[in-house]
Amino acid sequence: MRILVLGSGAREHAIITALLAEQAGHVITAAPGNAGIAADVETVSLDPTNGPLVAEYAIENGIELVVVGPEAPLIAGVADPVRTRGIPVFGPSKAAAALEGSKAFAKRIMSAANVPTGRPVSAGTIDEAVAAIDELGAPHVVKADGLAAGKGVLVTDDRQAAIDHATYWLQHGPIVVEEFLDGEEVSLFFLSDGHDVRALSPAQDYKRLGDGDVGPNTGGMGAYSPLPWLADRWGSEAAFVAEVADLVALPTVRRLEHEGTPFVGLLYCGLIVTEQGVRVIEFNARFGDPETQVVLPRLATPLSALMLAAATGQLGGAPEPEFRDDAAVTVVLASQGYPENPQTGRPISGIDAANARDGVAVLHAATGLLDGDLVATGGRVLSVVATGSDFAEARDRAYAGLHDITLDGAQFRTDIAAKVTR
């Protein structure tokens, strides 16, 4: 196929890497891509949020599938004009992408679909926010209603910190104060064609900046897949996935279909396993980052076939995706000052040495070329991904690859997947 992938991060690099690994002769273009993606496929300077422009490009270049990677183009509605022109799109409409774009909308859909989640209270003023914070009690969970690049959620026992967070985000729009849910977090992706779903393998990511889950929330500092501890409670990963499909994914997708806003693309279920059962923390309308970096290397079923089936309403006839037994670990290398004030423009070296290691692949997130040299252009710069026969091997490989790379002032967590190697 001729495939256009919209986006410029490690998630998009992971998608492109999986498509190339099929060795099916796909012609892949990325817009706008980054320095690492440009080394693998053609990149074009195309605004991924401009739907009419993307549609024109796709038509003029014979694109047969458009894959929308990041949230911003989806929330902006890039999929709508492309789909209107008859081009298959893996990514929901603007209306359906509100499942990620608005916490309040997502909570309403969950309520209508009887999907289990924490009790929410919406607030549009600081007085409403303070009342909700006091009503629900500590630990306090305060979320920006709209997109916040992974930085809009605060979980704290400090009432004043919760009020300060609410005050800041109320400048940008409404917020949601939620009941605190305690347990292990799980990320589970479902491909959806608007009616049927197919699940990928679960992953767990690490949101906090520092080891031991301390520091501010980030867009994600690492991840691993699969989750062997799920078998302790469900007996198998498959049993857990089946329960989430029946309890969460299908009711949500069918509710959106009922409301005339079918969800076509990737439904990211951010879950928490509590003593009372599975609860939804949040939905995203696209592949998660960095979880995609560990889920796709284990996928044995061709990704292109799954995405095309979803984009064309054919998932109901598709078999369940199959996965390799390998363990996968990714560690994010971030710029000094991330997430508040990332330092950019600094040179990067050692990526070739890391890529030369067995089972290691370096996926670019925020890189560019300056006078021919590779430099960091954002906060999360690289994802070092490794697979192995078990988590100990995958983890050792990931950190060995990471230590090959030099970026002045770089930071990373040293405890990614440590708990599953003990």
Side-chain angles (χ1 to χ4, degrees):
M1 286 190 291
R2 297 185 67 87
I3 304 172
L4 174 63
V5 178
L6 301 181
S8 61
R11 165 187 42 232
E12 289 74 43
H13 202 179
I15 291 168
I16 289 166
T17 299
L19 293 171
L20 292 172
E22 295 176 16
Q23 297 184 332
H26 300 310
V27 178
I28 302 169
T29 306
N34 58 41
I37 291 172
D40 293 338
V41 299
E42 179 187 4
T43 59
V44 294
S45 181
L46 188 68
D47 180 0
T49 66
N50 188 326
L53 188 65
V54 172
E56 287 301 323
Y57 177 88
I59 290 169
E60 291 173 3
N61 290 273
I63 300 298
E64 297 164 277
L65 176 66
V66 174
V67 179
V68 188
E71 57 271 33
L74 291 169
I75 305 304
V78 69
D80 294 327
V82 180
R83 192 170 278 124
T84 298
R85 301 294 290 272
I87 301 164
V89 184
F90 186 77
S93 66
K94 181 175 184 177
L99 203 61
E100 176 170 4
S102 168
K103 300 291 190 296
F105 176 82
K107 289 291 186 179
R108 182 185 71 75
I109 292 295
M110 282 187 261
S111 176
N114 294 315
V115 170
T117 186
R119 179 190 166 204
V121 178
S122 295
T125 68
I126 190 59
D127 288 342
E128 292 173 347
V130 171
I133 287 167
D134 290 339
E135 178 189 357
L136 292 177
H140 308 289
V141 182
V142 183
K143 298 181 177 182
D145 183 62
L147 297 183
K151 306 176 189 70
V153 178
L154 178 69
V155 181
T156 181
D157 288 314
D158 185 334
R159 178 177 180 270
Q160 189 57 51
I163 293 171
D164 292 345
H165 190 74
T167 301
Y168 175 80
W169 285 106
L170 280 167
Q171 299 174 82
H172 303 275
I175 65 164
V176 174
V177 182
E178 280 188 21
E179 168 193 8
F180 175 75
L181 299 172
D182 188 31
E184 288 278 3
E185 294 189 22
V186 178
S187 300
L188 185 54
F189 303 161
F190 288 87
L191 298 103
S192 170
D193 65 2
H195 182 78
D196 291 306
V197 300
R198 291 292 181 268
L200 300 183
S201 183
Q204 186 172 65
D205 77 332
Y206 292 71
K207 288 294 186 190
R208 299 281 189 171
L209 180 67
D211 287 359
D213 293 325
V214 300
N217 263 349
T218 70
M221 295 300 293
Y224 69 93
S225 178
L227 309 185
W229 46 268
L230 287 174
D232 295 340
R233 182 160 171 180
W234 275 267
S236 69
E237 177 183 295
F240 171 81
V241 169
E243 180 175 317
V244 176
D246 292 340
L247 194 67
V248 176
L250 271 175
T252 300
V253 167
R254 298 282 168 84
R255 181 65 200 180
L256 288 166
E257 181 185 32
H258 174 76
E259 295 196 1
T261 54
F263 188 99
V264 177
L266 198 289
L267 176 64
Y268 170 118
C269 299
L271 310 167
I272 190 162
V273 178
T274 73
E275 290 185 1
Q276 293 73 38
V278 176
R279 300 289 185 268
V280 176
I281 302 172
E282 66 174 351
F283 286 130
N284 289 337
R286 38 73 192 183
F287 280 107
D289 183 344
E291 299 97 322
T292 302
Q293 289 90 296
V294 291
V295 171
L296 293 188
R298 300 182 52 244
L299 179 65
T301 305
L303 177 62
S304 62
L306 291 169
M307 293 194 296
L308 184 63
T312 56
Q314 303 298 314
L315 265 187
E320 294 292 337
E322 296 182 359
F323 285 83
R324 301 177 185 90
D325 292 333
D326 291 353
V329 174
T330 187
V331 184
V332 170
L333 184 74
S335 293
Q336 183 177 4
Y338 176 77
E340 292 89 357
N341 184 32
Q343 302 300 301
T344 61
R346 294 178 177 177
I348 307 164
S349 62
I351 290 178
D352 288 344
N355 274 326
R357 290 183 178 273
D358 287 344
V360 175
V362 180
L363 301 178
H364 292 235
T367 62
L369 293 176
L370 180 64
D371 297 328
D373 294 324
L374 189 70
V375 298
T377 59
R380 292 188 299 166
V381 180
L382 302 167
S383 283
V384 181
V385 184
T387 55
S389 59
D390 57 25
F391 280 109
E393 182 176 51
R395 191 169 183 275
D396 286 348
R397 287 174 168 179
Y399 279 103
L402 192 73
H403 288 295
D404 287 330
I405 299 170
T406 300
L407 170 63
D408 187 34
Q411 53 182 330
F412 58 89
R413 285 184 61 157
T414 66
D415 62 347
I416 304 300
K419 66 183 180 183
V420 289
T421 61
R422 298 190 186 108

